[in-house]
Amino acid sequence: MKIGYYPGCSSEGTALEYGQSIEAVAEALDIELIELEDWSCCGASSGHCTDETLSLALPARNMAIAEKMGQDMVVSCAACYVRFKATEHELKQDAQKRQEIAEIIGMPLELKYTTRHFLELIYHEIGLDKIRNRVRKPLTGLKAVCYYGCYLVRPPKVTRFDNPENPTMMDELMVALGAESIDWPCKIDCCSGSLAFTRVHIAKKLLATIMQTAIDVGANCIVTACPLCQANLDTRTPMSARKALPILYFSELLAVALGLEGMERWWRRHIFRPTKLLRSLNLIT
Amino acid sequence: MQIKSQAGLEVIDLDFCEQVQQQSQSHLERCYQCYTCALGCPVAFATDYTPNQIIRMVQAGLREKVLQSGLIWLCASCETCVARCPNEVDIVKLMDTLRSMSLQEQPAKRVKDVIHMHKTFLKNVEKRGRIHELGFIIGMKMGSVETLKPSVQLLEDALLGYKMFSRGKLKLLPHRIQGVNHIKEIYRKVQEKKNQYNQ
């Protein structure tokens, strides 16, 4: 299948391993990702926190580019995902606003296409049966807790992603890959988002609860689908081995299970390296 | 129109609630103080007010108290309150509106650094079209004197910065998109529209 691809700003920087693993998995699953030409930042939290019009215009520019390409677009960052979905939702309901935004970006905007998260693509378009058949290295011994965070499942009317209080798509994917997916109460808890930059004490408290709960339920790793959740958990939780778990992107684990190559460059980018765990389970050499 | 409360303790703005309702379209009038939002709010433990209290204060016309509150800027926009509110009050939309209003008037001094962070982010995007993370972090730290005072946190951040840099997580050089003038034009038009609205 072909689909427009919006990499998102962090996939070029702090979440490079996420971007690379998404692209590697897409290639292995015959998903042709067509990168949006000259894409720009979605505005993230700072857009909507300060200026409503800007928060609609920035995503709209990219949506107009995808429209020109005649494609839906797929994203990997959950924050980018919710900004695109929220813009789509708002402008579909308010024709006047849509006209205003189209004028501001100077591009036609008919909202004929939509935005998907890569996890949705795997679950709905590829399907877990196909994934199961493609597994070369079952993730046996991996005890994952799936951490969805805020923006895949909320606001529920906007993303319509999964059950907003107890999503299971990522859990089902992990099981299809041969891992154990442990149920836990912090699936959709907030990682503190950008407060990790300005109110570290709030961030640490929220992240410590998430990390400790994961340890308490017997997990040996946390699986995420958002670059900021991953970065916050990886950088703002205590470093000692007893108090920390590796935080892996679902696409990295998908790549391991599919038996792909060239993954070493991803592991060494994590602050808390997952290599010890993955080697101990014979999942990597 | 402003009046003083009976005991003279509060200044009440009789137009505030309607103004907020109009701008936010959040249906805040439906709130019946069930506290579900407060119970799910991840930052409530660290702020001055809970979301339902802000709603009540908006309804009561306490403009200055609301726009000078800490919660409106420490709200993480996690949307937990929105997902759980039995009356479908769009609390995050409300917070966005209150944030925007507080920028026009006067936000609390203690959240100056949060506002600075957002402004730095958007300036960074305006200049390049995409976020240059290293530039953003530096801009954020440089703009706030408090963050540069010697402290355990500063040391911790410096160590973290080094770790991230040595693992190749922070791209040194920024990337500028080709359509950067298009982005600047979008910012200009948005500002123009805001100026029109405020006249």
Side-chain angles (χ1 to χ4, degrees), chain A residues 12-14 17 38-39 41 46 48 61 100 103 105 151 154-155 157 165 199 204 236 269-270, chain B residues 77-79 84 88 96 110 113 118 129-130 133 156-157 167-169 178-179 182 189 193:
Chain A
E12 300 185 319
T14 52
E17 64 270 31
D38 213 33
W39 56 270
C41 181
S46 302
H48 75 81
R61 178 182 180 272
E100 273 172 20
E103 275 167 27
I105 63 173
Y151 290 151
R154 295 192 294 270
K157 282 201 217 159
E165 294 289 351
R199 290 290 180 277
K204 279 184 174 171
R236 295 294 190 189
R269 295 172 56 83
H270 289 240
Chain B
S77 305
C78 73
E79 307 265 353
R84 292 178 182 171
E88 298 186 354
D96 280 344
R110 65 189 184 287
D113 63 319
H118 289 307
R130 293 178 198 170
E133 288 160 323
E156 214 179 271
D157 284 351
R167 280 165 169 78
K169 278 192 169 282
Q178 286 186 345
H182 186 202
K189 284 188 179 162
K193 179 163 183 282

Side-chain angles (χ1 to χ4, degrees), chain A residues 108-143:
Chain A
L109 192 65
E110 285 173 52
L111 302 176
K112 288 192 292 198
Y113 300 95
T114 191
T115 306
R116 319 292 302 281
H117 188 272
F118 202 77
L119 204 44
E120 283 182 305
L121 224 61
I122 297 285
Y123 192 86
H124 293 295
E125 308 304 332
I126 307 293
L128 295 184
D129 282 337
K130 184 168 176 195
I131 298 285
R132 229 167 277 138
N133 290 335
R134 297 284 303 267
V135 169
R136 294 290 164 264
K137 193 150 221 143
L139 306 177
T140 320
L142 200 74
K143 296 183 197 205

